[in-house]
Amino acid sequence: MSVEYDFSSDESILITESNEIKRRILYRLEDEGILVYDTNARVSDEPILPAIKLKSTISPNKKNKKSRGLDYDTHQFQNISQYSPKKNFQQDYTLVIPSDTLRFSSKFESGNLKKAIKLNDNEYRLILEYDTETQGYTQWYYFSVKPYKAPHKVRFYITNLMKFESLYNDGMKPLTFSMKKMLNGHKTWERKCTEVSYYKNQYLRPNENKFFYTLTFAYTFDDPEDTIFFAYSYPYTYSDLLEYVETLQKKHPSILRVNNLCMTLAGNCCPIITITSKINSYTNWDEEMIKLEKSAAGRRIMRIRESRNNETNKTKHQDKKAVFVTARVHPGESNSSFMIKGFIDYLVSDYKDASLLRKKIIFKIIPMLNPDGVIYGNYRCSLLGVDLNRRWNKPHRLMHPTIYYSKKALQILSEENEVLLYCDMHGHSIKKDIFMYGCYNSGKEVLDIKKNVFIRLIPYVLSLKNDNFSFKNSKFRIEKGKISTARVVNFTEFNILSSFTLEASFYGCTNFPKNQDHLLTPQLEKLGRDLCNTLLIFTSPRELKKKLNDLTYKLSGKTSPPKSCTQERFEEEYIGTINDALQNIDGEMIEGFDIEDSDSGGSDFEGSDNDDKKVSFKKKTEKSDTDKKIRLQNTAKSISPIDIVSESLAPSTPKPLRFFRDMAPLKKYRFRDNQSSSAIKDRTKLTDEKPNDITENGIKLKPVLHPSSIMFTREKIPHDSSLINAVKISKKIVKKSQFFEKRNKLQIINTIKNKLNNIF
Ligand SMILES: [Zn+2]
């Protein structure tokens, strides 16, 4: 097939049509350049894939819909295009490109380059895919480039970024990975880009009166045979996770269990890991699945029955405390995967402390709350185009299955064992350091003050163990924009005092030595290990009391440490000053307006709707920030030595240049719930809720073997309000159980009261 290039012609010229492949063949000019890569096209020498039909529902009038709330989600859910468990790529046409052109690809897991436009020999404009079903949230990028000559210095411009501020101007650099080096045994992500800069550009955002931002960087290709990958943060894909949990399960069968919490919208499994000593006598997954489908009242009745029947096994675990950890609700925050990996690796290790923790605590870990988003290369959203970390208050079983079942699993856990910690791991794009967001009690009673001190305990102890963790940058508050996040919902609904968002900067830490600027994966993993190790304070009442006294003394700002902190002494000397100190810190926070927290999101549509306001607000607060710095300088000092790691060994190496559709289907990971089919049968007998709501309300759904029992086929979703009806019905069920929940809540509050009184 011969194709003639016509460089002088206008946009989109049809050159030829081949009956053989039934695809238009195009050479295309775009934005004053030549289009050299488009996800919707195949390049002429790439293999031909069978044609698939994928359509997105994004339309301009959708912008008018409020992006928050169930109505929006329902609309999205009813109209969503078909997504497969693996990422699919259309080949609408064949793209003809000049031979002296860099060759781009993002057709692999988590890849998200949409287009590349050659401006001239040394400059390329790049456009990223928006998060699925949105017109925004671009921040994460992952793509590969194959050079055609060397040495060749090329400048790239990613021109459709949304965030109004970035650490790139402070020194942050994109990650690069050389395939050639990997084949020679040098399996390393590097930061080889130069002349990095970030600025507002002149491209208007669709349907908005706002501009995009550009990230530009230069890279020198030094081998024409190499392929270089570029990424925002160390990639950690869903396949990486499946490999990891499979290994874990094989290696540690006596202390660890991996199960499928539920299926995602695209039909992927969401692994949940349970770690504790003598796991074989712990409630098996079949029972847990039944509980997950029951109302609070139903679970209560079930528990009473259980305790009669099964005394011996239950006692082994009922005195244990519990810890619940999650990550990757925001798919682009891949650095959080390394923290959670460190946490798990430490916990399953042979260390004596790890063994003690397993003996005293039941750990439930969900390492990837948004597998679909990770596979499709999203930065923040699920396939519905919504931020799942704004759906914890009312998660919907069909629309937000991973959140719905995570919340339920945590609720059940908190009913049976005291939850010491809930931690949701994230990455932060605007601030340096690793730090936490915690919650806050607004009351002025002694108990409230004690709670506020206690809330700070884990971050405080962690800062003593880990140099990269900053206690002084950790904030404790509940903003309007955060009331539906995991940390706030789990704090308010389940009374978990230590409920945190853990944030690791995509860049580095303020206390780094001169020869280091970026956080490396071993440091992220160490943070996870240290967080796990921090929980040891809960295994020693003496140590717990001592650390709380230290913290109380620090927060109060007194000059001499108390000899002992008795109840009276605490009330006389500390309450007033601590309250003042806490008030001062929190006074700097304006309700519902958080300038620094990338987790704030603002609107669900684009992460930066309040950009301009935020910028001016930031300027105003800069002065008080300095004051705050001075005031807080002495609140926490790290004591452990810094371990600097010279290079980072990322476990995740790119899966290069293969079409996703060509790869063998992902293995069916059955984990350990092999008997789930019999469990489903049993459930028909055991549950008081209807097991066959599968065909209820006009929604025809196909049952699958997992707790949600449901994988919908989209063509069957009706275009009426039956989903809303389904929601109404589920509300009624909640009412029935409210009495039990209320009673349960009172019990928890009393337990906390007694516990805090005993410790202080
Ligand atoms: Zn996040």
Side-chain angles (χ1 to χ4, degrees):
M1 185 192 332
S2 69
V3 174
E4 283 176 22
Y5 304 140
D6 184 353
F7 287 88
S8 60
S9 310
D10 286 314
E11 194 186 349
S12 190
I13 316 135
L14 181 68
I15 292 173
T16 178
E17 181 150 9
S18 151
N19 283 334
E20 191 190 6
I21 59 165
K22 295 222 160 68
R23 260 187 203 89
R24 299 202 310 161
I25 298 175
L26 297 177
Y27 165 81
R28 191 173 274 189
L29 296 178
E30 218 171 283
D31 290 318
E32 292 156 24
I34 308 160
L35 185 68
V36 294
Y37 178 74
D38 180 356
T39 351
N40 288 0
R42 69 178 273 269
V43 177
S44 43
D45 56 359
E46 280 175 350
I48 298 167
L49 301 178
I52 46 158
K53 274 272 165 268
L54 283 173
K55 66 170 176 51
S56 175
T57 54
I58 277 298
S59 64
N61 16 347
K62 219 163 96 180
K63 279 297 291 179
N64 303 330
K65 286 217 167 233
K66 267 269 173 229
S67 61
R68 283 162 196 273
L70 216 50
D71 284 353
Y72 176 83
D73 292 17
T74 309
H75 171 264
Q76 291 280 84
F77 185 68
Q78 288 174 333
N79 295 296
I80 193 174
S81 53
Q82 181 76 54
Y83 287 97
S84 72
K86 290 181 293 161
K87 196 172 177 178
N88 273 325
F89 295 96
Q90 285 162 284
Q91 290 187 342
D92 292 347
Y93 65 98
T94 298
L95 186 65
V96 176
I97 57 170
S99 57
D100 55 344
T101 298
L102 295 181
R103 297 292 292 266
F104 293 82
S105 180
S106 65
K107 297 187 175 182
F108 42 81
E109 199 175 351
S110 299
N112 73 335
L113 178 67
K114 182 166 178 53
K115 283 180 176 182
I117 296 156
K118 182 178 180 175
L119 304 173
N120 58 52
D121 273 353
N122 306 318
E123 285 181 301
Y124 288 79
R125 182 183 164 208
L126 309 179
I127 297 159
L128 303 176
E129 299 265 17
Y130 295 127
D131 277 16
T132 45
E133 308 295 326
T134 76
Q135 294 186 330
Y137 295 109
T138 42
Q139 177 87 9
W140 161 262
Y141 51 85
Y142 187 24
F143 58 90
S144 72
V145 183
K146 193 175 180 339
Y148 60 96
K149 63 177 181 184
H152 185 196
K153 185 175 175 183
V154 180
R155 170 161 291 283
F156 298 99
Y157 303 89
I158 301 179
T159 58
N160 65 335
L161 293 165
M162 315 285 284
K163 278 257 160 85
F164 72 103
E165 203 185 336
S166 165
L167 288 163
Y168 286 115
N169 289 335
D170 298 335
M172 186 164 85
K173 287 178 178 177
L175 279 162
T176 55
F177 188 96
S178 151
M179 283 308 286
K180 193 121 188 183
K181 280 187 188 166
M182 183 189 79
L183 295 175
N184 294 332
H186 190 68
K187 188 181 157 184
T188 307
W189 283 91
E190 298 167 295
R191 310 252 181 196
K192 290 264 184 180
C193 296
T194 54
E195 300 155 46
V196 183
S197 172
Y198 191 87
Y199 56 90
K200 193 188 241 180
N201 63 35
Q202 292 309 306
Y203 294 104
L204 260 179
R205 275 155 57 170
N207 311 309
E208 300 234 15
N209 205 13
K210 282 177 203 150
F211 294 99
F212 280 113
Y213 290 78
T214 292
L215 164 67
T216 177
F217 54 88
Y219 185 85
T220 306
F221 296 92
D222 49 18
D223 185 344
E225 299 304 314
D226 203 356
T227 297
I228 306 295
F229 285 76
F230 294 85
Y232 176 59
S233 165
Y234 301 101
Y236 190 100
T237 62
Y238 180 62
S239 305
D240 292 329
L241 175 74
L242 292 186
E243 258 168 52
Y244 175 63
V245 294
E246 199 182 32
T247 320
L248 279 177
Q249 188 170 265
K250 271 186 204 147
K251 273 189 173 166
H252 311 282
S254 61
I255 51 165
L256 175 146
R257 201 176 71 190
V258 185
N259 299 101
N260 177 22
L261 179 71
C262 63
M263 302 304 271
T264 64
L265 292 184
N268 290 299
C269 298
C270 176
I272 176 168
I273 306 172
T274 311
I275 304 175
T276 194
S277 63
K278 300 200 176 83
I279 190 133
N280 293 325
S281 59
Y282 182 67
T283 323
N284 66 42
W285 184 244
D286 291 350
E287 282 173 52
E288 284 196 55
M289 287 206 305
I290 293 164
K291 281 184 197 165
L292 279 170
E293 291 296 351
K294 274 186 184 286
S295 65
R299 283 198 301 278
R300 226 177 156 76
I301 296 163
M302 193 176 160
R303 255 211 326 278
I304 295 165
R305 263 190 232 146
E306 258 176 21
S307 57
R308 276 194 220 124
N309 298 339
N310 206 353
E311 292 288 332
T312 46
N313 271 350
K314 292 285 174 281
T315 46
K316 280 182 197 158
H317 298 280
Q318 72 185 11
D319 295 335
K320 286 182 180 176
K321 312 282 184 203
V323 164
F324 204 95
V325 188
T326 53
R328 292 300 283 281
V329 69
H330 294 146
E333 296 168 1
S334 56
N335 45 359
S336 65
S337 279
F338 296 94
M339 294 195 286
I340 209 158
K341 183 177 179 297
F343 189 94
I344 298 169
D345 285 345
Y346 176 81
L347 199 53
V348 297
S349 70
D350 296 333
Y351 294 118
K352 232 172 100 190
D353 288 345
S355 156
L356 180 63
L357 287 173
R358 294 194 299 262
K359 213 171 144 191
K360 301 275 184 191
I361 302 173
I362 298 159
F363 292 86
K364 293 254 175 207
I365 300 160
I366 304 172
M368 208 172 265
L369 280 172
N370 190 352
D372 295 345
V374 171
I375 292 167
Y376 277 81
N378 284 2
Y379 176 61
R380 203 175 169 87
C381 296
S382 78
L383 290 185
L384 286 185
V386 299
D387 181 347
L388 289 177
N389 201 28
R390 293 295 181 282
R391 292 295 182 274
W392 275 79
N393 53 343
K394 278 183 191 162
H396 190 277
R397 190 169 60 131
L398 304 181
M399 297 191 278
H400 327 108
T402 59
I403 304 303
Y404 177 87
Y405 284 104
S406 301
K407 185 176 174 183
K408 214 152 181 194
L410 177 56
Q411 186 186 355
I412 294 166
L413 191 64
S414 70
E415 285 166 9
E416 296 177 355
N417 304 81
E418 183 198 338
V419 179
L420 298 173
L421 167 72
Y422 169 75
C423 184
D424 191 26
M425 300 187 177
H426 288 253
H428 205 290
S429 65
I430 297 175
K431 287 172 84 171
K432 281 186 157 192
D433 291 323
I434 307 176
F435 54 92
M436 277 178 175
Y437 291 107
C439 296
Y440 179 68
N441 260 289
S442 51
K444 300 277 170 288
E445 304 289 313
V446 176
L447 178 67
D448 296 310
I449 314 287
K450 280 183 179 176
K451 277 187 188 175
N452 283 332
V453 174
F454 188 81
I455 285 170
R456 287 161 166 79
L457 184 67
I458 289 179
Y460 167 69
V461 178
L462 180 55
S463 73
L464 301 178
K465 288 182 193 287
N466 191 300
D467 255 359
N468 300 323
F469 183 83
S470 167
F471 180 64
K472 68 177 180 187
N473 283 340
S474 298
K475 299 283 183 297
F476 304 87
R477 56 204 187 189
I478 299 175
E479 309 88 327
K480 258 186 214 153
K482 303 293 183 55
I483 48 173
S484 48
T485 60
R487 106 174 128 92
V488 177
V489 168
N490 296 332
F491 174 80
T492 48
E493 291 190 23
F494 307 136
N495 273 299
I496 299 168
L497 292 182
S498 300
S499 179
F500 301 111
T501 303
L502 174 63
E503 300 269 4
S505 174
F506 285 112
Y507 184 28
C509 297
T510 37
N511 66 351
F512 271 170
K514 268 197 178 151
N515 58 355
Q516 198 197 354
D517 37 24
H518 291 82
L519 268 164
L520 306 171
T521 51
Q523 290 170 312
L524 293 166
E525 288 180 28
K526 181 176 185 302
L527 194 281
R529 290 202 298 277
D530 290 344
L531 174 62
C532 194
N533 185 271
T534 297
L535 299 168
L536 276 176
I537 49 167
F538 296 105
T539 62
S540 154
R542 247 187 74 201
E543 186 62 16
L544 180 61
K545 195 162 186 151
K546 190 184 169 300
K547 282 285 181 311
L548 258 176
N549 279 342
D550 290 353
L551 176 61
T552 307
Y553 156 63
K554 271 206 161 146
L555 289 172
S556 70
K558 301 243 171 191
T559 42
S560 62
K563 283 182 192 103
S564 71
C565 192
T566 59
Q567 176 70 18
E568 295 81 41
R569 203 187 158 102
F570 179 86
E571 288 189 20
E572 274 169 30
E573 288 193 24
Y574 289 102
I575 288 297
T577 40
I578 289 178
N579 201 22
D580 288 350
L582 297 182
Q583 290 284 309
N584 277 338
I585 296 165
D586 292 300
E588 286 151 10
M589 191 268 297
I590 294 173
E591 270 289 308
F593 208 72
D594 187 350
I595 45 154
E596 296 146 329
D597 183 357
S598 79
D599 202 24
S600 65
S603 137
D604 242 349
F605 240 104
E606 274 86 45
S608 49
D609 268 7
N610 288 323
D611 290 0
D612 300 335
K613 272 185 262 166
K614 282 180 183 174
V615 172
S616 63
F617 180 73
K618 183 158 178 119
K619 274 182 192 147
K620 269 187 224 160
T621 51
E622 258 162 23
K623 215 181 149 198
S624 75
D625 269 356
T626 346
D627 297 348
K628 185 167 69 182
K629 241 181 213 165
I630 298 163
R631 196 152 20 88
L632 289 178
Q633 228 151 36
N634 296 319
T635 45
K637 269 213 168 131
S638 304
I639 44 169
S640 57
I642 308 169
D643 15 3
I644 302 163
V645 199
S646 58
E647 64 173 25
S648 121
L649 294 168
S652 169
T653 51
K655 316 276 185 297
L657 295 178
R658 265 194 298 179
F659 284 94
F660 226 59
R661 284 163 57 90
D662 285 350
M663 289 168 66
L666 291 175
K667 271 184 241 165
K668 283 273 173 251
Y669 286 82
R670 296 190 57 88
F671 306 125
R672 284 165 69 92
D673 50 346
N674 293 345
Q675 296 119 21
S676 41
S677 59
S678 65
I680 296 278
K681 268 183 230 149
D682 286 352
R683 189 142 49 97
T684 331
K685 288 178 231 153
L686 289 169
T687 39
D688 9 328
E689 286 158 34
K690 281 173 233 147
N692 283 332
D693 53 356
I694 291 159
T695 49
E696 243 175 42
N697 310 311
I699 314 165
K700 295 215 171 80
L701 302 149
K702 200 173 98 214
V704 285
L705 305 179
H706 66 92
S708 73
S709 298
I710 278 161
M711 200 174 83
F712 57 86
T713 42
R714 285 196 189 79
E715 58 273 23
K716 287 181 185 166
I717 293 171
H719 293 280
D720 59 22
S721 56
S722 51
L723 257 172
I724 298 165
N725 288 337
V727 174
K728 277 182 193 156
I729 289 169
S730 65
K731 269 183 191 160
K732 272 185 204 158
I733 297 169
V734 170
K735 257 186 193 165
K736 218 170 48 179
S737 59
Q738 257 170 7
F739 169 73
F740 287 107
E741 272 166 13
K742 218 171 185 177
R743 228 172 67 176
N744 206 17
K745 226 167 200 176
L746 279 174
Q747 271 176 2
I748 298 173
I749 291 171
N750 280 333
T751 325
I752 292 176
K753 218 174 193 171
N754 291 337
K755 203 182 89 182
L756 289 175
N757 278 335
N758 286 339
I759 304 170
F760 277 92

